[in-house]
Amino acid sequence: MRTVARGLVVCGAVLGSAAGAGAPGAGAVSGPELSGVAEAVPVAEADLSYHGSVVMAGGRMRVRFVARNHGPDAVPDATVRLRWSVPPGVRQELPEGCARAGERVVVCRTGELAADGLGERAELAVRLPGAPPEVSLELDTVWGGGAVDRNRENDRQRVLVLDTGDTYYF
């Protein structure tokens, strides 16, 4: 785990530090109960990634993926965003833990991810009105359970999917 120093900020003044602690016109609040407000807070580190497959035929797309945490710390939960270049139909049956977050966006929770562990397999089936000949699908992390992810490149996937019935892997 990484440790960061946190202080309390009130009206732009940092409390518990020399900067702004009672400086004239700084709007700082002081007092014995506020001294030493800054403290070390442990921050979890994770490295999230998504691997899976997608297939499209006749305007119907099936997406399967698994979230992976390469560690070093566990993540209590995370949220992955799926974004289509063509908006899925208005009425979709989404699996538990997934919800629409916009015209072209669905978000899904991953559940708990152990350090160097895999999450549950997620599977979505969506209809794309008009049966487009190709669609791009992007996956990325929206929220990492409060963990710091220093390698954001492997949690962003973009797949071009042709309406051929072929499976594309990411």
Side-chain angles (χ1 to χ4, degrees):
M1 277 199 192
R2 195 176 113 206
T3 304
V4 294
R6 254 193 207 163
L8 179 62
V9 178
V10 177
C11 299
V14 177
L15 303 179
S17 68
V29 179
S30 61
E33 68 279 352
L34 295 177
S35 62
V37 170
E39 62 184 64
V41 177
V43 176
E45 285 191 51
D47 184 12
L48 303 178
S49 64
Y50 306 99
H51 305 283
S53 64
V54 58
V55 62
M56 183 170 66
R60 294 186 182 275
M61 181 181 279
R62 181 170 305 280
V63 182
R64 295 178 177 134
F65 68 92
V66 173
R68 180 176 183 117
N69 176 14
H70 299 279
D73 297 314
V75 174
D77 200 358
T79 306
V80 60
R81 172 179 34 220
L82 294 89
R83 182 181 302 131
W84 286 265
S85 61
V86 173
V90 175
R91 300 183 77 110
Q92 302 288 330
E93 288 187 37
L94 298 173
E96 185 177 333
C98 294
R100 289 292 284 258
E103 181 183 44
R104 300 172 190 235
V105 178
V106 169
V107 292
C108 298
R109 57 185 302 221
T110 64
E112 186 174 352
L113 297 168
D116 201 26
L118 293 172
E120 299 284 322
R121 185 170 98 169
E123 186 171 330
L124 291 87
V126 297
R127 291 176 313 284
L128 301 165
E134 64 180 41
V135 173
S136 67
L137 173 65
E138 298 175 8
L139 291 91
D140 67 331
T141 301
V142 177
W143 180 68
V148 173
D149 188 342
R150 295 182 191 277
N151 182 12
R152 295 298 311 268
E153 294 306 312
N154 66 345
D155 68 324
R156 296 178 181 152
Q157 301 285 348
R158 185 173 186 176
V159 185
L160 178 63
V161 184
L162 304 179
D163 191 0
T164 60
D166 294 328
T167 302
Y168 296 87
Y169 296 93
F170 57 90

